[in-house]
Amino acid sequence: MNSTESRLDQLRGPVPPVPHNARTIAALTSNPGCARRAVMDAAGVDKRTVAARVGFPPPYGQSPFAITRTRAFEAQVKANGCAELLRMLREVLDLPIPEVAYHDLEEAAGNTSQNVRHALARQVLGAAAKGTDEFGTLFDHPLLRLPVGGRQVFLEPDLIAFQFQGVFHIIEIKSFAVIDGQADGGKVAAAAVQSGVYVVALRQLLKELGLDPERVSHDVVLVCPENFSNHAVATKLDVRRQLTVLNRQLNRMTRIDELLEPLDDDLTFDLAPDRDGRPTRPVGELCAALEHIPARYSPDCLSMCEMSYFCRREAHGTTHALGRTVSEELGGVEWVEAALGLAGGLLAPAPEQMEAAMVLRAAMRLRNECFGIPA
Ligand code: SF4
């Protein structure tokens, strides 16, 4: 085990790691400058439990009910050798698929180790891409791999990659409903980013095999229940825009070993559970450990990260807590109090704050005019 892996193990403590998935990669790439999330995710720290321990239980998360519903719907869509799924794929991709070979890649001859499963997915998908006859068409749960912050991350997609005439399509099965042809825009947007993560990972696999990564289509297929029924409907989604953002953000991410470099050697998020699994780690100590790694809170965190209530409290009074647009406009002005001082002319701007100070004074003038306050 290399030193990066052993440091990450120490950060997590003696518990199994929380694995990455497309959702966590999407969240990481939406805030690539946050070292705290990058380190905690790389170490597989259970952020939900840590946040609850420090008194800020997360505001969101998939309910057990939603997870069960998604699994049941996925099982229904894939029943009888994916018969229902095939019917939809023929329609939505406009493909005449005469017959289909189905591969369940959830385990490799009883072996569920990630390395073995990834090797199997690589072999089977590679053979399909090369046009070997006995391989292709539907691949259930292929285990993909993606470099994130300089480390390989396994992605366990609950999807099927479909190959026809040399083109792979990512199929994403979700349990949110499409009602009268419309689905919740936020949920579709999140599904598009998550599917985009799988496209990037599958393209990476083809690249490693010396094959053209563009053979993975930017059109993914979203399968959802229709009109409050269990009837499934498939829709094609173009994720080109999401792919551009994901690739740019993945390339911008700092390497994990560089993020670990300045951290104290004895830093850990070990919750020291008692015999019943209840955390015993002193709250103050855990807060200090969290504060040791810089974060970059923005209001977007509230819908994406389990640590968001903790980080929002910590960022209180800063301009970046007001959102990306405000913090970009006020570059060089870290605190709301300083912004108010600059706006009212009570504070002389530093050279790097001149531009922001002009914007703030103009905004203050406008505000005063609106409220009839004399200058
Ligand atoms: S909530 Fe905190 S840890 Fe999570 S991404 Fe935002 S700033 Fe980073």
Side-chain angles (χ1 to χ4, degrees):
M1 189 183 292
N2 66 32
S3 65
T4 300
E5 294 306 316
S6 60
R7 294 256 357 241
L8 293 173
D9 284 352
Q10 183 194 316
L11 279 166
R12 185 180 63 253
V15 286
V18 175
H20 263 298
N21 54 40
R23 200 183 288 259
T24 61
I25 306 282
L28 264 180
T29 54
S30 80
N31 192 357
C34 180
R36 183 176 296 161
R37 174 160 193 150
V39 168
M40 291 179 86
D41 278 0
V45 173
D46 182 349
K47 300 196 296 303
R48 178 172 292 278
T49 314
V50 169
R53 178 65 183 161
V54 293
F56 294 90
Y60 82 100
Q62 259 197 309
S63 72
F65 175 65
I67 293 170
T68 310
R69 198 178 49 203
T70 304
R71 287 197 185 131
F73 180 63
E74 186 184 335
Q76 175 206 320
V77 168
K78 290 179 180 173
N80 304 320
C82 295
E84 189 174 4
L85 184 59
L86 273 169
R87 172 190 59 77
M88 289 182 287
L89 292 177
R90 286 191 180 107
E91 281 169 23
V92 79
L93 295 177
D94 198 21
L95 300 176
I97 308 163
E99 58 185 62
V100 169
Y102 168 83
H103 292 272
D104 184 353
L105 301 175
E106 205 154 1
E107 55 179 50
N111 193 330
T112 53
S113 125
Q114 289 190 312
N115 283 321
V116 174
R117 283 190 54 210
H118 175 66
L120 176 68
R122 207 179 144 92
Q123 178 206 336
V124 172
L125 290 166
K130 286 171 191 157
T132 313
D133 276 350
E134 70 266 34
F135 293 108
T137 321
L138 291 173
F139 307 94
D140 198 345
H141 287 275
L143 192 61
L144 306 176
R145 216 172 52 173
L146 187 66
V148 178
R151 289 177 74 241
Q152 293 290 355
V153 163
F154 287 107
L155 291 169
E156 166 86 58
D158 59 337
L159 60 82
I160 295 168
F162 174 71
Q163 194 258 347
F164 179 78
Q165 293 183 345
V167 180
F168 289 90
H169 290 273
I170 297 296
I171 317 293
E172 183 77 341
I173 301 170
K174 293 287 184 192
S175 66
F176 59 81
V178 174
I179 300 161
D180 291 335
Q182 296 285 321
D184 181 313
K187 288 179 178 166
V188 174
V193 179
Q194 287 162 27
S195 308
V197 172
Y198 296 133
V199 172
V200 175
L202 193 48
R203 285 185 174 175
Q204 174 69 25
L205 186 143
L206 291 197
K207 219 186 295 177
E208 286 169 12
L209 292 170
L211 299 164
D212 179 8
E214 295 304 314
R215 289 175 62 182
V216 183
S217 173
H218 54 252
D219 284 332
V220 302
V221 179
L222 186 60
V223 179
C224 299
E226 188 178 31
N227 295 340
F228 305 110
S229 71
N230 277 338
H231 181 257
V233 62
T235 318
K236 203 156 63 170
L237 273 184
D238 182 342
V239 297
R240 260 178 292 190
R241 192 175 55 77
Q242 288 79 1
L243 291 175
T244 308
V245 176
L246 279 168
N247 282 320
R248 188 177 63 231
Q249 302 294 55
L250 284 166
N251 288 333
R252 274 180 59 194
M253 285 182 70
T254 312
R255 288 180 59 85
I256 289 298
D257 41 13
E258 286 173 34
L259 293 176
L260 294 175
E261 190 72 32
L263 305 184
D264 286 350
D265 286 344
D266 57 355
L267 185 74
T268 179
F269 299 109
D270 184 359
L271 294 170
D274 62 15
R275 257 194 294 175
D276 297 324
R278 281 189 298 260
T280 64
R281 180 94 183 271
V283 171
E285 219 179 275
L286 195 54
C287 285
L290 287 168
E291 284 157 8
H292 191 66
I293 309 182
R296 186 175 286 179
Y297 174 81
S298 82
D300 295 342
C301 295
L302 288 172
S303 60
M304 274 183 246
C305 184
E306 293 87 345
M307 298 306 304
S308 57
Y309 278 9
F310 176 86
C311 296
R312 184 175 65 170
R313 194 278 318 254
E314 184 188 49
H316 180 71
T318 63
T319 51
H320 61 91
L322 302 176
R324 207 156 288 160
T325 316
V326 174
S327 70
E328 277 168 15
E329 284 285 341
L330 301 184
V333 183
E334 176 76 2
W335 295 95
V336 172
E337 210 177 321
L340 292 173
L342 290 168
L346 302 170
L347 204 66
E352 70 278 9
Q353 296 174 330
M354 293 300 245
E355 206 176 309
M358 274 166 49
V359 173
L360 284 163
R361 283 193 202 128
M364 183 63 106
R365 266 197 308 278
L366 275 174
R367 176 187 177 276
N368 289 348
E369 274 172 35
C370 290
F371 287 106
I373 300 169

